[in-house]
Amino acid sequence: MTGHDGAPGAPGEVTGGRLVLVGNAIVDLVMRVPALPERGGDIVSSDTALTTGGGFNVLTAARRLGLRAVYAGAHGTGPFGDRVRADLARADIEVLLPPLAEADTGFCVAFVDGGGERTFATSLGAEARLTGTDAAAVLAALRPGDMVQISGYGLAYPDNGPVLAALVARLPEHVRVFLDPGPLVDQIPKEVLEPVLARCDWVSCNQREGRLLTGRDDAREAAAALAARLGPRTGVLLRADAAGCWLVPPGGEAVHIPGRRVTAVDSNGAGDAHTGAFLAFLGHGLDLDTAVRGANAAAAFAVTRHGPATGPTPGELLDFLGGEPPAARLSSVLRR
């Protein structure tokens, strides 16, 4: 197992629980365009790249910061599946399930416009065919202290949604559950979403997703309303881009945690960088305030880089923060 500096046993390696992502690692075809074309129109991309994305972004963001990570989603047989597995191996991320023989992994076309905003179109593949047998394998592989990450993308898929809801309901209490509702949250059947929300320890969403879940436009009001809906055992992070995020600790009140203003070149994967960093810092045993401020900084760093999997290493994050809080507290665990 490699640590955050890429060497076996490097300082900062979390020796307890792991991040187990029961989500979708797919291939992203990222096209940089000045603006989205009008309906029926066309536009020329200034740059095009083929990368592994989806849940891979969360896994790599956490792994770079020293948290051991496991991909427990489905994956296929074919060129896209091969690429995903190769990239997971390079990132030192364990793959739990065997590949599905009859389908390749899916892909997503991501358009990144001149303002750094991204728009997606997704073609589903093997990652959308999770089975009860797969869920049983995930359940059997869990260890005390593990953190399970669920994506709203998977909950919205017809096959995966019921399987994931049943899996989450069976998770032991020693496993913490994290949900990112994703942009398809309004397409998740109620009978799938509600039992997952009832078991979650944390929900992290952006402002649009918060509005879809609560009907509130104001970020603070949406965070508070979502926390009230979830109950006192569940925490909420409502990400507000450059403004940082709103944190509602379990049973607590909404608190604004400011972000860092940077020149964004690509927002693709920023939310994933935030989620992966937050999970890594919780795994390191950091307090909530430090974990959230560190996650805000990781997301700000990510948008200054091209590509979806651009979460920082410990050295990059500490250099990015300079002498600002919470650099000292982060440094104490990332460079010990």
Side-chain angles (χ1 to χ4, degrees), residues 50-138:
L50 197 67
T51 65
T52 298
F56 177 77
N57 301 336
V58 176
L59 291 166
T60 55
R63 189 69 194 96
R64 286 170 185 164
L65 294 170
L67 185 67
R68 289 183 291 173
V70 179
Y71 176 59
H75 49 107
T77 302
F80 288 159
D82 290 346
R83 184 184 184 103
V84 166
R85 283 185 292 275
D87 285 343
L88 288 167
R90 273 191 289 271
D92 192 25
I93 296 166
E94 178 186 347
V95 176
L96 179 63
L97 301 175
L100 184 68
E102 60 268 25
D104 198 1
T105 291
F107 66 95
C108 170
V109 179
F111 299 97
V112 183
D113 65 27
E117 187 55 89
R118 69 271 191 254
T119 304
F120 303 107
T122 302
S123 176
L124 303 182
E127 75 287 346
R129 301 187 187 184
L130 201 69
T131 68
T133 300
D134 296 331
V138 173

Side-chain angles (χ1 to χ4, degrees), residues 5-313:
D5 289 325
E13 180 81 18
V14 178
T15 57
R18 308 165 297 171
L19 169 57
V20 180
L21 188 139
V22 192
N24 313 300
I26 62 174
V27 170
D28 285 344
L29 176 62
V30 183
M31 305 180 71
R32 299 189 59 80
V33 296
L36 293 179
E38 63 179 346
R39 186 168 183 260
D42 192 2
I43 199 160
V44 176
S45 169
S46 61
D47 181 64
T48 301
L50 197 67
T51 65
T52 298
F56 177 77
N57 301 336
V58 176
L59 291 166
T60 55
R63 189 69 194 96
R64 286 170 185 164
L65 294 170
L67 185 67
R68 289 183 291 173
V70 179
Y71 176 59
H75 49 107
T77 302
F80 288 159
D82 290 346
R83 184 184 184 103
V84 166
R85 283 185 292 275
D87 285 343
L88 288 167
R90 273 191 289 271
D92 192 25
I93 296 166
E94 178 186 347
V95 176
L96 179 63
L97 301 175
L100 184 68
E102 60 268 25
D104 198 1
T105 291
F107 66 95
C108 170
V109 179
F111 299 97
V112 183
D113 65 27
E117 187 55 89
R118 69 271 191 254
T119 304
F120 303 107
T122 302
S123 176
L124 303 182
E127 75 287 346
R129 301 187 187 184
L130 201 69
T131 68
T133 300
D134 296 331
V138 173
L139 195 63
L142 292 174
R143 306 171 185 170
D146 280 348
M147 298 181 286
V148 170
Q149 170 76 6
I150 304 291
S151 166
Y153 279 109
L155 297 179
Y157 298 161
D159 291 343
N160 289 24
V163 171
L164 288 171
L167 169 63
V168 169
R170 297 175 61 196
L171 291 174
E173 281 300 314
H174 64 72
V175 171
R176 286 182 285 179
V177 182
F178 299 78
L179 171 67
D180 186 335
L184 301 181
V185 62
D186 57 338
Q187 300 178 36
I188 302 173
K190 182 178 180 180
E191 63 271 19
V192 170
L193 181 61
E194 290 303 324
V196 175
L197 291 177
R199 175 59 180 84
C200 278
D201 294 276
W202 283 93
V203 173
S204 176
C205 62
N206 64 25
Q207 289 180 271
R208 175 183 176 274
E209 294 153 9
R211 182 177 70 251
L212 291 173
L213 284 165
T214 65
R216 307 292 182 90
D217 289 319
D218 179 80
R220 185 196 66 79
E221 292 180 2
L226 182 55
R229 174 181 175 182
L230 296 170
R233 71 179 300 274
T234 305
V236 169
L237 284 174
L238 194 145
R239 306 185 304 270
D241 299 327
C245 69
W246 286 89
L247 163 68
V248 187
E253 301 293 327
V255 178
H256 180 240
I257 308 295
R260 293 171 57 91
R261 295 199 172 274
V262 296
T263 301
V265 299
D266 188 349
S267 64
N268 190 15
D272 295 331
H274 192 283
T275 297
F278 177 68
L279 294 172
F281 297 144
L282 287 188
H284 279 292
L286 286 163
D287 62 278
L288 277 180
D289 182 77
T290 303
V292 176
R293 291 180 187 275
N296 283 354
F301 176 91
V303 302
T304 67
R305 303 294 193 273
H306 291 296
T310 50
T313 64

